Amino acid sequence: MTPAKTGGPDYDARVRRAKHLAVIHPFAAEVMTLYQHLAQFQKRLYLELAQPVMQHPTPASASSFRSNLDLALLLQHLPELLSLLQNVGPAPVAEAARQFSLQGPAAWITLLTEYWTVAGTSDHLRSQAQLPRHDVKNIAHDYTQYSASEALTEFILHIFLQPYAESLAANRAAPAAIATHSVCPLCNSAPLLGVLRVEGDGGKRHLLCAFCLHEWEFRRILCPTCGEEAENKLPVYVAEQFPHIRVEACDTCHYYIRTIDLTKDGHAHPLIDDLGALPLTLWASEHNYSRLHPNLLST
Ligand SMILES: [Zn+2]
Ligand SMILES: [Zn+2]
């Protein structure tokens, strides 16, 4: 069973977890407060989108998924997100939303279409890798840089398009699991995270899609970036502060993926616990490991 696929997205659970993490991790409180606003917007958008999408189910393949952007349905909801971000976002996010809203519908269509085509795919990650990474919170001082501005634009596009991607994924039959398939079988994106779920006496690893949030089974001892399968090349690090988050690294390609271990903490929510684990990003970069796919905060 793939738990994420029963009953659609769990926005209320995401908000509850963000509230909890804001209390127990004060360093993540600002991020978790912003995230609660974003998840509530995404829930409203998902509910608006769910019915029309369900009336037009489409066959499961990544190319048909990507050809399915219904701008006529979506575009009317974009101003709500842009004004929300201007009201509740930190200064650089609010300013990016203001600039975005000034561009108007013709530019929005171009940006949404371009992002929808590549979001989460290896082509997109290659173009991102040529730019310095920025934390959304820390880019106020160099906002004029093209790279920071582009990162913020993608932040907005990602928040807006993810509920639509989730609604498409929720209405498609998942292809039979191939446990060595390192990109999402529905939309072809890279994985954002691993998730260890209780099965029998141990845990079974799944990968969580960075874009449509579909989950699929993946072998425990296998690098999703380069395919390395020698156990001594695949070290796992766990910080004392986050005993349920595994940094699963690869000494062959020097990429890593974070895996949220639900066998250690059944209350964790993969998407939210990852956003709250800010110190792990610093640790990984100090050890020369790059993340396979960054999260919403570009960390
Ligand atoms: Zn996907
Ligand atoms: Zn590797």
Side-chain angles (χ1 to χ4, degrees), residues 177-183 191 193-196 203-208 215-228 234 248 257 259 292:
I178 303 167
T180 55
H181 203 127
S182 61
V183 296
L193 291 168
V195 182
L196 271 183
K204 184 168 262 189
R205 182 163 74 156
H206 297 74
L207 297 181
L208 177 73
E215 253 184 59
W216 69 100
E217 282 182 27
F218 194 72
R219 266 175 42 197
R220 284 285 290 264
I221 311 296
L222 179 62
C223 170
T225 309
C226 74
E228 179 60 74
L234 300 170
E248 298 179 331
I257 189 162
T259 288
L292 171 52

Side-chain angles (χ1 to χ4, degrees), residues 222-229 233-234 249-256:
L222 179 62
C223 170
T225 309
C226 74
E228 179 60 74
E229 49 191 352
K233 295 279 180 63
L234 300 170
C250 175
D251 286 335
T252 300
C253 67
H254 290 277
Y255 277 84
Y256 76 97

Side-chain angles (χ1 to χ4, degrees), residues 11-220:
Y11 292 108
D12 292 338
R14 295 177 199 177
V15 170
R16 280 197 302 276
R17 186 65 179 170
K19 275 186 186 153
H20 178 68
L21 293 186
V23 174
I24 63 168
H25 295 322
F27 56 82
E30 187 184 358
V31 164
M32 289 296 141
T33 302
L34 175 63
Y35 182 80
Q36 289 170 52
H37 289 291
L38 301 180
Q40 279 153 351
F41 165 79
Q42 290 184 318
K43 179 184 176 183
R44 288 194 296 278
L45 180 57
Y46 185 88
L47 292 174
E48 292 281 343
L49 300 174
Q51 202 164 347
V53 171
M54 285 171 73
Q55 286 167 359
H56 302 284
T58 46
S61 83
S63 60
S64 76
F65 188 102
R66 298 279 177 172
S67 65
N68 230 288
L69 183 62
D70 188 344
L71 286 166
L73 179 66
L74 277 167
L75 213 53
Q76 59 190 307
H77 301 288
L78 185 54
E80 184 192 340
L81 175 62
L82 297 176
S83 68
L84 174 72
L85 292 174
Q86 288 175 74
N87 288 330
V88 303
V93 172
E95 175 59 16
R98 195 180 71 81
Q99 297 287 346
F100 199 121
S101 64
L102 289 176
Q103 293 187 59
W108 299 345
I109 288 170
T110 304
L111 288 166
L112 288 165
T113 307
E114 285 176 1
Y115 189 74
W116 178 261
T117 308
V118 298
T121 64
S122 54
D123 284 349
H124 187 219
L125 292 174
R126 264 196 295 278
S127 70
Q128 280 187 328
Q130 291 160 10
L131 301 169
R133 289 277 165 78
H134 293 273
D135 183 320
V136 166
K137 279 171 61 190
N138 294 334
I139 57 181
H141 301 300
D142 57 359
Y143 178 69
T144 51
Q145 277 189 20
Y146 171 76
S147 54
S149 158
E150 185 171 75
L152 282 169
T153 299
E154 293 195 350
F155 171 80
I156 295 169
L157 293 167
H158 189 91
I159 294 162
F160 184 66
L161 286 174
Q162 190 149 56
Y164 183 70
E166 285 189 88
S167 71
L168 285 185
N171 289 292
R172 286 163 175 240
I178 303 167
T180 55
H181 203 127
S182 61
V183 296
C184 173
L186 290 181
C187 78
N188 220 24
S189 290
L192 174 66
L193 291 168
V195 182
L196 271 183
R197 293 188 181 277
V198 178
E199 183 157 312
D201 294 333
K204 184 168 262 189
R205 182 163 74 156
H206 297 74
L207 297 181
L208 177 73
C209 174
F211 191 41
C212 78
L213 302 181
H214 175 68
E215 253 184 59
W216 69 100
E217 282 182 27
F218 194 72
R219 266 175 42 197
R220 284 285 290 264

